[in-house]
Amino acid sequence: MLVSSLRSRPRCRAVGPTLGALGVRVSGMGVEQRPSGTVTFLFTDIEGSTRRWEADADAMRAALAAHDQVLRLAVEGNGGWLFKHTGDGVCAAFASARSAVDAAVAAQQTLELPVRMGIATGEAEQRGDDYFGPALNRAARVMAVGHGGQVLLSASTAGLVAGVDVVDLGEHRLRDLTGVERLFQVRADGLGGDFPRLRTLDAVPGNLSVQSTSFVGRDVEVGEVAGLVRAHRLVTLTGVGGVGKTRLAVQVAAELVPEFGDGVWLVELAPVGDPAAVPDVVATAMGITQQAGRTVTESVAEAMAGRRLLVVLDNCEHVLDAAAEMVETVLARTKTVSVIATSREGLRVGAEHLWPVPSLSVGAGVGSAAVDLFVERARAVKPGFTTDDGPDASAMVEICRRLDGIPLAIELAAARMVSMNPAEVLARLNDRFRLLSGSRRGLERHQTLRQAVQWSYDLLTPDEQMVLGCCSVFADGFDLAGATEVIGGGLDEYEVLDLLDSLVRKSLVTTAQVGGRTRYGLLETIRQFAEDQLGATGTIGEVRDRHARHFAAQAFAHFDLWDGPRQREGTDWADVEFANLRAGFRWAADQGDLETATAIAANTAIPAWSLQRYEPVGWAEELLPAATAADLAQLPRLYSAAALCAQTGRPEEAVGYAQVAVALEVDPRYDPFEHGWSQANEATGHLYAGRIDRFLEISIAQSAESGLAGLSGRCGMAYALPAVGRAAEARAIAPDTLASARARGNPWMVAYAINGFGQAFADSEPARALATYREGLLYVRQHRLPLWEAVIARDAAGLEAAHGTLDQGLALFDIAIDSCHQSGNIGNLAVTLANLALFFDRHGQPETAATLYGTTTLHTSTVMVTDWPERIQQLRTMLGESRFDEWAAVGAAMELADAVRYARQHIQLTLGQLGVSG
């Protein structure tokens, strides 16, 4: 690092006149005992130190000396032990939490440099002049998310201090900490009160999840890889399975969150069985939908263009060529997107920088990173596990050495501490891990890991081995009911539960609580091994058939849930099981099992549509030729599913699909399907094609029917009548329509009715319409309907700006634009940009309005905007023909991503003028 080259002192050193081996310090007050047991740690760091060293090294050296003296006096003056320097900060230990806080406040009141401080309390072990334990990591992470002049406390410390003025900053996800952490800010005279948003994982978009286990032994590697990612747009972490590529990649990504303002995204390719599905998986993870006339890969690159993004492509080795093609396209068509890939071998892409992930070091014996990992994982299954016993400590070092420091193998061994001791595990390694004890030069790394997994597998009963093999066909987890169906063999749910419980205890199956229910999973390496064993039995095809048929039946059942008051259950299920639905569909389609593939596609498309996921619409379209030729009973439902392509920019195709569905529904040869959906899809296709009159015709015809069709028709009338100058008719039916929707209880229809009510009363009673829209936004968030959230936000934004708060109106526009762009909902995106154009026209920015008008000229869905032609004509008159045409041409020349970026930039500029941070 540049900082290290500008000064002579080592990066980490013990400070103060110490008798470190004895744990005492001599001071002017006498001999003090080093804090032990439950300790409060204060970590500090100078904000922007690198920049200061580069600007004026001599001045920084002098300022740092003063900084060190202030911190030493503050720490020791409050009974603390300053035991380490870390770069431009210090680490101090206190027996009292209040003393640590007082020391931090005293230092901040005197320091001239901007120093951020973090304090946490917990159990810690002493190792020479240093400490070891989770509390130190927590203090470091708490400090890292703060700002210069800020003192942050973890909940463990805040609960121990009385008489300290603190501000509750709420729960945050911190890098490398499991769960969420509640943070508090200290307030005191001389300390700042207002700071920017904390630098936590919640600060930018993305999908990095809280890790279920702590990160051990890779701090140097994290720094090195992070530096490579800053210098190279593609960094591939290579190495044997189980060496920790994924965990390291996620940790590096978490460290880099503040540097990628448009998001950090993890795309897990491990569940992907078909290389052709890689672009779909990337698109789904990032909420991107295929655009008309472009491949999925091109659509992903287009959506990323102009954004500062970091994407982690995890487990590429089994889809290497497809992943390489995806990365090449993204890097070629973007300039500000970076990629971290993990693979057992490189992607062989020109811009690639390979970084082999090393095994954990064992050289330091009991103090090594490998043993630290063993101890921490052993404590997870056996609280109180200790390293104090000499024979056990020696056995642990030998285990880690024999396992070559491979993290997965170490974790498997540590998991056995639940029923064994280290010496007993070491004795088994002599028999089971013979390959691991040999020379690395003569071994292929995947064989060593396979042997580690084989050891655990060989300890299973035949029934346990069979269950593990069957569970290997699941993608991204499974529940008990799914496992029971896929395992088959006459086992009932209780017998399967007993076998899963045994596998969980043996660390071969994982568990997590999702939506209040237990969900099972397999580590990918274990899953691949079990799948190989299943394949060797010759039964894998039968198991995959059962898997696909199970999800076909469940998709049908959950669609019925979705199409009713229990809609949220259907939505959540479709989201949680999406990877299994994809895997089941792909297997069935590839095997020519049209009935199963059709059942999955036809019944997944609508619930996924409500989540702004359009991949299943593509499944339906893929199947249509073969399913039509086979004259399947579910054809009406399949055609209706395909008709959802209207919003992704293909309204004419949508109309054609829907018309076929409507015609087939009345034929008794086919399975009954509530025709209200197909009619509504046809109407929507006409609407997005610019034929609002035809939309109204269908809606009016539907309104005379009963059930869903009649309700859908009335909702459509309330929504569209104002756009054709018939708002009074809309107002006459909107209240009863909303009441009927609530009585039916289907949240989708309630949201549709709320949207129609708002449109009906927007001009005559804007306050009433706005109140309904606000209620609607809360409602759709509660019921998890992101599609309706985008639509209602779009339609409420102008009213909010005019009759509520201007900044909230702009925020709603931004929500709608981002949601529609990320998902590929092109039709709704065009309508949102059109409404935003009218907003800027009303607020004195006619050039911006004309530019945004130009971005919508290729989209017929703007027919939904009330009085759109008249208002645009007024804008044209105000600017003059030539100026209007000039600005509109600028917008018309923009690609979709450029139009979105332009719109959001002007939203942020306007918010800035209002004094509101975007």
Side-chain angles (χ1 to χ4, degrees):
M1 292 180 60
L2 180 59
V3 174
S4 300
S5 68
L6 294 175
R7 63 185 121 137
S8 59
R9 71 178 187 177
R11 183 154 180 82
C12 296
R13 62 179 177 84
V15 296
T18 65
L19 298 173
L22 301 177
V24 298
R25 179 178 65 218
V26 181
S27 73
M29 301 288 291
V31 178
E32 302 174 17
Q33 186 70 32
R34 176 188 293 238
S36 62
T38 300
V39 181
T40 297
F41 293 97
L42 166 65
F43 276 54
T44 77
D45 183 60
I46 300 171
E47 188 173 52
S49 61
T50 300
R51 184 179 65 254
R52 294 172 184 274
W53 280 104
E54 291 174 345
D56 190 337
D58 291 336
M60 184 58 182
R61 190 173 289 108
L64 186 64
H67 157 277
D68 288 353
Q69 180 67 7
V70 168
L71 283 169
R72 180 191 301 279
L73 292 174
V75 169
E76 296 182 356
N78 285 279
W81 185 288
L82 201 161
F83 63 92
K84 184 186 293 183
H85 276 288
T86 55
D88 297 314
V90 303
C91 307
F94 297 80
S96 159
R98 178 59 188 265
S99 296
V101 174
D102 289 343
V105 171
Q108 290 286 26
Q109 290 170 336
T110 306
L111 286 166
E112 296 183 1
L113 290 171
V115 176
R116 51 188 177 182
M117 300 184 179
I119 303 176
T121 304
E123 295 288 329
E125 293 181 12
Q126 296 181 34
R127 288 187 180 173
D129 290 338
D130 208 343
Y131 287 89
F132 171 80
L136 284 86
N137 185 46
R138 191 170 302 275
R141 292 308 183 196
V142 170
M143 177 269 293
V145 303
H147 302 275
Q150 192 172 30
V151 179
L152 297 177
L153 309 181
S154 70
S156 61
T157 301
L160 297 175
V161 294
V164 175
D165 186 10
V166 298
V167 179
D168 187 348
L169 301 180
E171 293 183 335
H172 295 268
R173 296 188 301 141
L174 306 186
R175 288 169 280 179
D176 191 38
L177 296 188
T178 59
V180 294
E181 179 72 20
R182 198 167 198 90
L183 299 180
F184 299 80
Q185 176 184 312
V186 176
R187 291 196 298 197
D189 291 339
L191 271 64
D194 296 323
F195 294 94
R197 187 176 182 180
L198 298 181
R199 301 183 178 97
T200 65
L201 292 180
D202 311 286
V204 299
N207 65 346
L208 290 184
S209 61
V210 175
Q211 298 300 301
S212 59
T213 58
S214 59
F215 188 70
V216 180
R218 298 282 199 193
D219 291 341
V220 173
E221 289 92 335
V222 168
E224 185 173 343
V225 176
L228 290 174
V229 174
R230 294 184 183 103
H232 305 275
R233 293 183 61 203
L234 170 61
V235 175
T236 301
L237 306 185
T238 61
V240 61
V243 78
K245 301 184 294 295
T246 296
R247 194 67 176 86
L248 178 59
V250 170
Q251 187 68 18
V252 171
E255 294 285 343
L256 293 172
V257 160
E259 301 177 35
F260 290 87
D262 289 318
V264 177
W265 303 87
L266 173 64
V267 181
E268 297 175 339
L269 298 180
V272 179
D274 181 3
V278 167
D280 288 324
V281 173
V282 176
T284 297
M286 302 186 68
I288 299 168
T289 299
Q290 183 177 3
Q291 299 175 19
R294 291 187 173 92
T295 66
V296 176
T297 299
E298 291 168 342
S299 300
V300 169
E302 176 70 19
M304 291 181 177
R307 297 190 172 203
R308 181 68 173 151
L309 293 167
L310 174 62
V311 180
V312 179
L313 285 181
D314 188 36
N315 286 302
C316 298
E317 54 270 0
H318 62 303
V319 288
L320 200 64
D321 292 340
E325 181 181 350
M326 184 85 204
V327 170
E328 272 191 316
T329 301
V330 168
L331 295 184
R333 300 195 180 197
T334 67
K335 296 182 179 179
T336 54
V337 176
S338 296
V339 177
I340 301 175
T342 73
S343 177
R344 296 188 186 182
E345 60 180 304
L347 302 184
R348 297 188 293 275
V349 173
E352 184 178 40
H353 186 96
L354 294 177
W355 198 86
V357 178
S359 298
L360 292 175
S361 170
V362 190
V366 175
S368 69
V371 174
D372 285 347
L373 176 64
F374 186 101
V375 171
E376 182 149 330
R377 299 300 186 258
R379 286 176 176 166
V381 299
K382 189 175 183 179
F385 181 85
T386 179
T387 62
D388 293 340
D389 181 48
D392 277 353
S394 298
M396 282 189 296
V397 173
E398 184 65 9
I399 288 169
C400 293
R401 187 185 72 78
R402 295 274 188 92
L403 297 179
D404 292 326
I406 298 174
L408 177 58
I410 291 170
E411 291 183 348
L412 286 169
R416 291 294 169 191
M417 295 303 98
V418 70
S419 58
M420 302 173 71
N421 62 39
E424 290 168 338
V425 171
L426 180 59
R428 297 190 74 85
L429 286 180
N430 288 331
D431 295 329
R432 299 292 178 168
F433 293 145
R434 194 167 300 165
L435 287 175
L436 293 171
S437 63
S439 169
R440 292 184 183 180
R441 191 176 301 248
L443 295 174
E444 294 183 34
R445 306 308 302 158
H446 73 275
Q447 290 179 334
T448 65
L449 184 59
R450 184 177 182 85
Q451 186 69 14
V453 179
Q454 183 80 53
W455 169 61
S456 291
Y457 186 82
D458 287 347
L459 296 177
L460 301 179
T461 67
D463 281 347
E464 289 171 339
Q465 291 178 348
M466 180 271 295
V467 167
L468 190 66
C470 290
C471 290
S472 71
V473 305
F474 286 99
D476 200 23
F478 53 95
D479 59 16
L480 178 60
T484 303
E485 288 291 324
V486 171
I487 291 167
L491 296 179
D492 64 25
E493 203 169 72
Y494 290 98
E495 292 171 314
V496 172
L497 179 60
D498 287 341
L499 290 165
L500 285 175
D501 182 69
S502 178
L503 292 170
V504 169
R505 285 187 284 106
K506 293 173 181 176
S507 300
L508 290 172
V509 171
T510 63
T511 63
Q513 294 300 308
V514 179
R517 296 183 178 182
T518 300
R519 189 164 180 81
Y520 301 92
L522 275 66
L523 295 174
E524 177 56 21
T525 302
I526 301 296
R527 192 202 66 76
Q528 291 183 9
F529 177 87
E531 186 179 38
D532 288 344
Q533 301 303 307
L534 180 65
T537 68
T539 62
I540 191 168
E542 299 170 17
V543 177
R544 288 200 177 278
D545 284 342
R546 290 199 295 270
H547 173 272
R549 288 196 295 268
H550 168 71
F551 282 99
Q554 288 298 304
F556 195 96
H558 282 86
F559 177 81
D560 286 344
L561 280 184
W562 187 90
D563 191 17
R566 297 171 62 187
Q567 185 171 97
R568 177 63 188 265
E569 292 181 48
T571 300
D572 288 346
W573 180 85
D575 186 42
V576 169
E577 299 292 4
F578 198 82
N580 277 310
L581 290 163
R582 177 194 287 123
F585 166 78
R586 195 73 271 155
W587 171 262
D590 291 346
Q591 298 302 309
D593 184 355
L594 288 176
E595 289 189 4
T596 299
T598 295
I600 294 174
N603 292 287
T604 301
I606 289 181
W609 174 46
S610 68
L611 289 167
Q612 290 270 60
R613 281 184 166 183
Y614 296 95
E615 183 182 338
V617 179
W619 302 346
E621 289 190 272
E622 176 185 334
L623 293 176
L624 280 178
T628 302
D631 202 26
L632 293 184
Q634 292 192 54
L635 272 183
R637 194 173 293 222
L638 188 66
Y639 271 99
S640 191
L644 297 174
C645 67
Q647 292 178 335
T648 61
R650 299 170 57 234
E652 299 297 353
E653 291 91 336
V655 169
Y657 293 145
Q659 288 174 342
V660 174
V662 170
L664 293 177
E665 284 170 6
V666 299
D667 190 326
R669 292 181 301 152
Y670 301 105
D671 288 346
F673 177 57
E674 196 160 21
H675 69 283
W677 287 112
S678 298
Q679 289 177 313
N681 290 344
E682 180 186 354
T684 300
H686 285 295
L687 184 64
Y688 282 94
R691 296 184 289 270
I692 194 168
D693 289 340
R694 183 65 183 127
F695 173 86
L696 265 175
E697 287 178 15
I698 296 174
S699 297
I700 291 170
Q702 276 191 298
S703 68
E705 301 185 38
S706 60
L708 180 139
L711 180 56
S712 176
R714 293 191 295 277
C715 289
M717 290 171 63
Y719 173 76
L721 284 169
V724 294
R726 298 164 62 182
E729 295 176 58
R731 291 193 294 272
I733 65 171
D736 287 343
T737 299
L738 181 53
S740 297
R742 285 176 169 151
R744 182 179 176 88
N746 181 316
W748 173 272
M749 297 308 301
V750 173
Y752 195 3
I754 286 172
N755 191 236
F757 188 100
Q759 289 289 91
F761 288 93
D763 286 338
S764 61
E765 298 181 53
R768 184 180 182 186
L770 183 57
T772 303
Y773 277 140
R774 288 171 175 169
E775 172 199 348
L777 285 170
L778 294 174
Y779 182 86
V780 296
R781 289 164 182 163
Q782 175 189 354
H783 290 277
R784 201 177 183 197
L785 294 169
L787 174 57
W788 275 117
E789 180 182 2
V791 171
I792 293 176
R794 174 200 78 196
D795 291 340
L799 277 183
E800 186 69 64
H803 302 281
T805 59
L806 189 59
D807 58 314
Q808 181 61 20
L810 286 166
L812 291 177
F813 273 125
D814 196 58
I815 289 171
I817 290 171
D818 188 54
S819 176
C820 293
H821 182 226
Q822 288 293 324
S823 65
N825 192 335
I826 297 172
N828 275 319
L829 177 58
V831 179
T832 306
L833 294 175
N835 277 288
L836 183 61
L838 299 183
F839 165 86
F840 280 121
D841 180 31
R842 287 193 298 268
H843 289 82
Q845 299 184 51
E847 293 87 354
T848 303
T851 303
L852 287 171
Y853 162 78
T855 68
T856 71
T857 52
L858 296 179
H859 305 284
T860 53
S861 56
T862 53
V863 69
M864 290 185 246
V865 181
T866 304
D867 299 330
W868 175 245
E870 293 81 0
R871 296 187 185 188
I872 291 302
Q873 184 56 50
Q874 292 171 9
L875 177 61
R876 183 184 294 273
T877 301
M878 182 182 66
L879 280 174
E881 291 287 340
S882 61
R883 289 186 63 208
F884 177 89
D885 289 343
E886 179 182 345
W887 288 104
V890 171
M894 291 181 181
E895 295 291 336
L896 191 61
D898 295 328
V900 167
R901 185 163 51 253
Y902 177 87
R904 299 188 75 186
Q905 284 175 346
H906 279 77
I907 288 173
Q908 297 305 318
L909 286 171
T910 306
L911 285 171
Q913 293 167 1
L914 296 171
V916 178
S917 174

